[in-house]
């Protein structure tokens, strides 16, 4: 039995056989193929090789056209290496004679060559080793990409173990059969983690290297409550987990009774609870659990689910589905927040990989530079708004200029729709995410120009504390309880109060139970949370009074260090709702 710890990002426990997804970034385990599959596997290798050669040829042409003939020549060397008959025959013989999987054979042969180059006493040749690693990476991407496609054709339940899953891969997981996943990479508020919550499957991320200890098929426990992955569990551990599952089932049953009850504190202060969704189907999970509406609809997932750019009708249909499922309740549709870790295949051309994706042309910046894309979405939102209480929210607003530009584009779109005689709603409240420190600091100036604020703590924390939300190596620095974060929250709440602008918290902080009393104590009256957290958040709200929440916020504000704040809040939660603390 092997136990690994990571970051718990989606609650629950899953037990089942492991399905290992390799990636180019980690050591490929020594996997074998059966004798009768050997020729098909050799063929699979050749298909991948052809794709890689075509890819290199494209790059060669691009470099020639844009930079000049001599730069194209660099890729000529890559191509020569990829087509080297000796290399190809070595890989083929490992598959044919030793029954190695193509992934392992490729990795084995290319790494051996790379090592030889690295050990030669020449800087020039040592650098060629990088070219070999690049070739390995490309080949594995194609080989493993194929294997990832198999995910869509599962016929039995599995637990997926991978180095990393991109948000698009996670969005594409077959929910019927993928019962949980664990990844070596990822942080607590990475979009992959958020999606795990949306899929409502137990998940642990940021486990660190562990895949080389797994070959696939072993029984695995993914404990999404405590952030543990157990490989080959013994009988006693399995029993303990089965008992814990029973206890959890009872708490869930008890919480179900809360669904029709009001969300208010013990002393009658009403706190609205909205749901955060990524896919239209999730709206039903929110309504069943008694949500007051949708506080954050992450529309970019429309792009992440498919390889094609969605049309205005695709947008419109998705929005109508959500709005119609929420009669008389607000639906906050956030405009595209693409970029950083959310890069759809359909836009890979406009969004080239860059060194610092969180600080690049993402989100509203991308929309403002690609007006066609932005207007298509706004048209669909305004048309769907006819059906209900739709509100528009712009993400990652950093400056007033940006907010004003986005509003101008919205006004233009209204003009167009008007001219074309297409029905739409003009009186749609317009708000912004406060998720960049600049916006929080200047909340007082933004407030007169918006109808509402929604605080995106996931990004606000990463930008304030300079700690990547998806990087487990800085997970200990990424802290919701940091006094700098509490100070920014206060600024936004005060600006909202002064200008009578509603303030919601839609980042994961609102779903993290110990933070709920703090947020209420700070003056937040609306939370938008991950759907599965709705009943628990309601239970916390119904278990406190406003003076109690204010006392907690006051004390937390006096502490100097994030760890102290978080320990204090956890202690209070233990007291307020002991059986919700797992
Ligand atoms: C946030 O940043 O807190 C947020 C809600 O947006 P996202 O997680 O989609 O970046
Ligand atoms: Mg964000």
């Amino acid at each position: 039995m092997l136990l690994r710890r990571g970051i718990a990002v989606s609650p629950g426990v899953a037990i089942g056989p492991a399905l290992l997804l390799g990636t180019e970034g980690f050591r490929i385990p020594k996997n074998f193929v059966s004798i009768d599959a050997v020729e098909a596997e050799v063929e699979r290798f050749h298909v991948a090789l052809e794709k890689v050669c075509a890819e290199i040829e494209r790059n060669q042409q691009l470099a020639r056209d844009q930079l000049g003939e001599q730069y194209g020549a660099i890729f000529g060397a890559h191509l020569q290496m990829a087509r080297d008959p000796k290399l190809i025959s070595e890989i083929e013989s490992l598959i044919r004679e030793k029954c190695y999987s193509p992934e392992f054979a490729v990795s084995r042969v290319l790494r051996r060559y790379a090592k030889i180059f690295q050990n030669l006493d020449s800087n020039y040749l040592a650098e060629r080793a990088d070219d070999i690693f690049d070739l390995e990476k490309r080949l594995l991407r194609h080989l493993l990409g194929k294997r990832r496609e198999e995910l869509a054709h599962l016929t039995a339940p599995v637990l997926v173990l991978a180095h990393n899953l991109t948000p698009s891969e996670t969005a594409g997981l077959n929910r019927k059969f993928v019962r949980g996943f664990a990844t070596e990479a990822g942080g607590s508020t990475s979009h992959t983690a958020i999606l795990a919550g949306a899929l409502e499957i137990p998940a642990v991320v940021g486990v660190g290297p562990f895949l080389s200890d797994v070959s696939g098929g072993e029984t695995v426990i993914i404990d999404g409550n405590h952030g543990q992955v157990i490989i080959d569990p013994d009988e006693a551990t399995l029993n303990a987990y089965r008992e814990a599952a029973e206890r959890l089932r009872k708490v869930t049953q008890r919480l179900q009774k809360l669904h029709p009850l009001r969300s208010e504190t013990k002393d009658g202060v009403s706190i609205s609870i909205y749901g955060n969704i990524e896919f239209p189907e999730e709206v039903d999970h929110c309504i069943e659990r008694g949500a007051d509406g949708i506080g954050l609809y992450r529309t970019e997932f429309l792009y992440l689910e498919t390889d094609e750019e969605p049309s205005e009708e695709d947008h419109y249909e998705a929005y109508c589905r959500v709005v119609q499922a929420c009669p008389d309740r607000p639906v906050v549709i956030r405009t595209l927040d693409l970029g950083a870790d959310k890069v759809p295949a359909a836009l890979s051309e406009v969004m080239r990989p860059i060194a610092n994706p969180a600080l690049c042309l993402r989100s509203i910046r991308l929309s403002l530079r690609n007006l066609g894309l932005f207007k298509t979405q706004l048209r669909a939102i305004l048309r769907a708004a006819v059906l209900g209480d739709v509100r528009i929210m712009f993400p990652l607003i950093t400056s007033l200029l940006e907010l004003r530009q986005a509003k101008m584009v919205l006004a233009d779109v209204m003009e167009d729709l008007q001219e074309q005689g297409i029905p739409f709603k003009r009186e749609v409240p317009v708000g912004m995410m406060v998720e960049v420190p600049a916006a929080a600091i200047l909340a007082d100036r933004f407030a007169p120009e918006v109808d509402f604020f929604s605080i995106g703590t996931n990004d606000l924390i990463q930008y304030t504390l300079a700690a990547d939300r998806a990087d487990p190596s800085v997970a200990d620095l990424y802290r919701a309880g940091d006094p700098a974060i509490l100070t920014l929250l206060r600024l936004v709440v005060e600006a909202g109060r002064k200008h009578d602008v509603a303030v919601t918290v839609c980042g994961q902080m609102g779903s993290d139970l110990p933070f709920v009393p703090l947020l209420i104590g700070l003056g937040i009256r609306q939370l938008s949370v991950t759907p599965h957290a709705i009943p628990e958040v309601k239970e916390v709200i119904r278990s406190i009074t406003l003076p109690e929440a204010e006392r907690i916020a006051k004390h937390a504000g006096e502490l100097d260090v994030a760890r102290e704040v978080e320990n204090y809040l956890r202690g209070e939660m233990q007291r307020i709702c002991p059986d919700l603390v797992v």
Side-chain angles (χ1 to χ4, degrees):
M1 176 167 111
L2 193 76
L3 187 146
R4 293 297 164 110
R5 285 178 206 286
I7 305 168
V9 291
S10 182
V13 172
I15 304 176
L19 174 75
L20 189 66
L21 288 189
T23 77
E24 60 271 23
F26 82 99
R27 196 164 65 77
I28 297 293
K30 191 171 180 174
N31 277 347
F32 295 95
V33 295
S34 70
I35 294 246
D36 27 316
V38 154
E39 285 312 316
E41 293 293 302
V42 170
E43 176 58 22
R44 193 157 74 82
F45 159 63
H46 277 284
V47 170
L49 186 63
E50 275 323 302
K51 285 190 180 151
V52 167
C53 290
E55 209 171 84
I56 300 175
E57 274 166 1
R58 272 198 305 278
N59 287 343
Q60 187 177 29
Q61 196 54 47
L62 212 70
R64 259 195 211 128
D65 294 348
Q66 296 187 358
L67 303 166
E69 194 62 43
Q70 72 275 32
Y71 290 92
I74 298 174
F75 292 97
H78 283 193
L79 211 51
Q80 218 176 354
M81 189 160 62
R83 297 223 162 108
D84 184 82
K86 185 161 178 304
L87 197 92
I88 296 175
S89 97
E90 271 188 56
I91 295 172
E92 282 177 351
S93 25
L94 284 186
I95 304 174
R96 287 209 173 94
E97 286 155 28
K98 298 207 165 177
C99 291
Y100 284 173
S101 69
E103 290 87 351
F104 187 60
V106 161
S107 189
R108 183 77 180 242
V109 171
L110 289 176
R111 287 194 181 196
R112 190 164 55 75
Y113 275 109
K115 205 168 240 153
I116 295 173
F117 277 103
Q118 277 173 333
N119 290 341
L120 292 174
D121 203 10
S122 146
N123 279 348
Y124 173 77
L125 289 176
E127 276 171 22
R128 299 289 68 76
D130 290 341
D131 295 339
I132 301 180
F133 282 127
D134 184 64
L135 179 60
E136 183 207 14
K137 227 178 186 174
R138 285 175 189 277
L139 275 166
L140 288 180
R141 198 179 306 134
H142 285 286
L143 287 166
L144 295 164
K146 175 91 182 64
R147 194 128 58 93
R148 280 170 187 245
E149 272 168 33
E150 286 168 16
L151 265 181
H153 305 117
L154 291 170
T155 50
V158 290
L159 305 193
V160 169
L161 307 181
H163 170 67
N164 199 7
L165 287 171
T166 64
S168 353
E169 285 168 335
T170 317
L173 288 179
N174 180 339
R175 299 177 223 189
K176 190 161 162 217
F177 295 118
V178 178
R179 297 287 165 84
F181 72 79
T183 58
E184 293 184 326
S188 60
T189 64
S190 61
H191 287 96
T192 298
I194 289 169
L195 274 172
L199 298 174
E200 309 215 340
I201 54 177
V204 178
V205 302
V207 180
F210 77 105
L211 292 179
S212 46
D213 298 325
V214 190
S215 46
E218 297 94 331
T219 297
V220 174
I221 300 178
I222 293 179
D223 177 350
N225 301 323
H226 300 96
Q228 292 184 350
V229 181
I230 303 165
I231 296 145
D232 277 330
D234 55 30
E235 206 44 42
T237 309
L238 276 170
N239 284 339
Y241 268 100
R242 287 185 188 123
E243 279 164 26
E246 183 51 25
R247 279 198 302 279
L248 193 68
R249 200 182 55 74
K250 286 191 180 136
V251 174
T252 311
Q253 242 175 14
R254 181 169 61 75
L255 292 180
Q256 264 170 9
K257 301 208 177 85
L258 294 180
H259 295 178
L261 302 182
R262 289 167 63 86
S263 169
E264 58 184 22
T265 58
K266 277 206 276 195
D267 49 345
V269 179
S270 170
I271 311 287
S272 306
I273 309 180
Y274 302 108
N276 289 349
I277 62 167
E278 287 74 33
F279 311 105
E281 308 88 73
E282 285 178 276
V283 74
D284 303 328
H285 299 186
C286 300
I287 301 301
E288 276 158 28
R289 289 168 173 140
D292 293 305
I294 301 302
L296 168 64
Y297 177 9
R298 290 183 167 100
T299 56
E300 57 278 4
F301 283 88
L302 211 57
Y303 279 73
L304 297 177
E305 274 186 308
T306 88
D307 287 347
E308 306 205 338
E309 204 172 322
S311 64
E312 182 179 325
E313 283 318 294
D314 295 332
H315 282 276
Y316 178 68
E317 271 171 36
Y319 305 156
C320 287
R321 158 95 172 79
V322 175
V323 179
Q324 281 167 330
C326 275
D328 313 322
R329 292 180 225 195
V331 174
V332 178
I333 303 184
R334 178 175 76 180
T335 64
L336 298 173
D337 187 32
L338 290 166
D341 59 342
K342 293 181 281 193
V343 179
L347 296 180
S348 52
E349 280 304 301
V350 263
M351 302 169 73
R352 296 181 182 286
I354 13 91
N356 213 336
L359 302 180
C360 72
L361 193 65
R362 61 168 287 209
S363 198
I364 192 70
R365 303 168 182 182
L366 186 88
S367 297
L368 288 173
R369 297 267 192 103
N370 293 276
L371 288 184
L373 177 108
F374 195 25
K375 287 185 170 181
T376 299
Q377 173 171 43
L378 291 174
R379 285 172 68 94
I381 300 177
L382 290 171
R383 287 171 54 206
V386 172
L387 303 171
D389 181 0
V390 168
R391 302 168 187 195
I392 295 180
M393 176 158 77
F394 298 124
L396 207 82
I397 293 289
T398 307
S399 70
L400 270 166
L401 184 66
E402 220 166 36
L403 173 66
R404 288 173 189 162
Q405 282 172 342
K407 286 171 73 173
M408 264 159 51
V409 178
L410 182 65
D412 276 356
V413 171
M414 288 187 188
E415 291 292 298
D416 292 347
L417 289 169
Q418 177 87 38
E419 264 172 33
Q420 292 159 2
I422 299 173
F424 72 99
K425 187 162 163 189
R426 198 175 273 279
E427 292 73 36
V428 174
V430 177
M432 61 178 264
M433 301 269 305
V434 180
E435 51 182 347
V436 177
I441 294 165
L442 294 185
D444 196 35
R445 298 205 204 167
F446 280 98
E449 305 198 19
V450 289
D451 295 311
F452 62 92
F453 282 142
S454 192
I455 307 180
T457 49
N458 305 338
D459 276 314
L460 188 63
I461 297 168
Q462 88 163 340
Y463 292 129
T464 307
L465 303 180
D468 189 330
R469 60 194 270 189
D471 181 353
S473 70
V474 289
D476 59 329
L477 303 176
Y478 179 97
R479 307 204 81 117
D482 195 282
I485 304 299
L486 306 196
T487 304
L488 291 180
L489 291 177
R490 267 206 184 86
L491 280 181
V492 184
V493 172
E494 274 161 27
R497 201 175 276 149
K498 187 165 142 202
H499 297 275
D500 199 17
V501 165
V503 182
T504 307
V505 168
C506 67
Q508 292 299 104
M509 194 171 176
S511 309
D512 195 355
L513 302 186
F515 285 93
V516 172
L518 167 83
L519 293 173
I520 294 171
L522 286 175
I524 295 289
R525 296 291 175 265
Q526 312 191 46
L527 295 169
S528 191
V529 307
T530 195
H532 63 74
I534 293 172
E536 296 179 350
V537 170
K538 195 187 269 187
E539 166 104 323
V540 174
I541 292 169
R542 292 178 59 87
S543 309
I544 49 167
T545 61
L546 185 60
E548 198 178 358
E550 285 173 344
R551 177 186 59 73
I552 290 174
K554 182 166 182 299
H555 184 75
E558 285 159 3
L559 301 171
D560 291 332
V561 179
R563 198 177 297 253
E564 287 170 5
V565 174
E566 290 165 12
N567 286 343
Y568 165 66
L569 295 178
R570 262 195 292 276
E572 287 293 309
M573 186 50 42
Q574 184 84 48
R575 184 180 60 73
I576 299 166
C577 290
D579 70 348
L580 293 189
V581 180
V582 284

